Amino acid sequence: MTREDLQPWCYDDPEYRQGMISTPYSQDGYTIATNGHVLIRIPRMNDVARNGGPDIVPLFENAPEPETYFPVPEPQPPTIRECTACFGKKVCPECENEGTIEIHSRGRWYEVECRSCNGHGKFVSCDECDSTGEIVTWGRSKVGSQSFSDKYLTLLKTLPGVEIGPTYDLKPARFRFDGGDGLIMPMHL
């Protein structure tokens, strides 16, 4: 595995968690990547330094050993629908992606920066879909007595020889693959 192979396992919004887990880091002989739901570790890579990520030793010490491991089930693809908040508009409704609008005041026309998109010329104000125009909804799949997000099972399926070891309740489940192991958080039933 390379550093680039680990990047999809990292949290993808560095502003939200101050970059703490937005890149792989090394600790105790391992290189680690996590998005807060799934944690993957492989033998330490020399080009990945420790950068202040969470201490994973207690996580693995407290994760129960599974009775058995199972192949990761085939996850269902997500449901994608048009956002009802912006109706899939990727165009600023005020300026139509120009960044400016013309206003008429006291008999004269003026061109001013669009307030809806702050002059960016694109629709940026939809919190529901992050201005993509689409709402993506993932289902869940059951493995043993636990359920897991199909989003993260899809990510696990990219690993060679991957197997998952569900436990009970909402305890993290271990997974293993050719070249490393990790933990995945289950979902409420």
Side-chain angles (χ1 to χ4, degrees):
M1 272 193 151
T2 66
R3 177 184 218 130
E4 290 76 29
D5 294 332
L6 290 174
Q7 194 59 48
W9 299 86
C10 295
Y11 195 76
D12 61 0
D13 187 355
E15 291 180 21
Y16 181 71
R17 296 219 179 155
Q18 291 82 36
M20 189 167 92
I21 53 177
S22 63
T23 59
Y25 64 97
S26 291
Q27 177 185 100
D28 297 326
Y30 294 100
T31 294
I32 300 128
T34 183
N35 61 16
H37 301 278
V38 182
L39 181 147
I40 183 173
R41 69 179 181 179
I42 61 172
R44 184 178 176 130
M45 299 170 64
N46 292 332
D47 64 334
V48 179
R50 177 154 172 77
N51 69 352
D55 182 9
I56 65 161
V57 172
L59 297 174
F60 278 89
E61 286 175 353
N62 294 324
E65 282 293 335
E67 290 181 18
T68 186
Y69 281 86
F70 299 94
V72 174
E74 201 59 48
Q76 295 298 310
T79 302
I80 301 172
R81 61 182 170 79
E82 185 177 84
C83 178
T84 55
C86 69
F87 301 103
K89 293 179 184 173
K90 295 177 186 166
V91 176
C92 176
E94 191 77 28
C95 69
E96 296 181 355
N97 288 3
E98 293 294 319
T100 59
I101 58 171
E102 290 184 355
I103 60 168
H104 188 263
S105 178
R106 296 183 179 170
R108 301 184 88 185
W109 284 96
Y110 299 93
E111 191 171 281
V112 296
E113 186 177 275
C114 176
R115 286 186 182 177
S116 294
C117 67
N118 294 323
H120 290 105
K122 59 184 177 181
F123 188 71
V124 293
S125 61
C126 186
D127 293 331
E128 295 298 313
C129 68
D130 198 24
S131 300
T132 64
E134 298 176 336
I135 302 290
V136 179
T137 307
W138 288 88
R140 65 181 79 194
S141 293
K142 194 163 181 155
V143 181
S145 63
Q146 291 182 310
S147 293
F148 301 94
S149 169
D150 285 329
K151 177 179 181 178
Y152 301 120
L153 292 178
T154 299
L155 193 56
L156 284 185
K157 291 288 279 185
T158 65
L159 297 170
V162 68
E163 296 177 314
I164 188 169
T167 58
Y168 52 89
D169 297 330
L170 291 175
K171 301 283 185 185
R174 293 176 181 264
F175 65 89
R176 61 187 181 192
F177 62 97
D178 299 339
D181 66 349
L183 300 171
I184 181 171
M185 290 301 297
M187 297 178 71
H188 289 281
L189 296 176

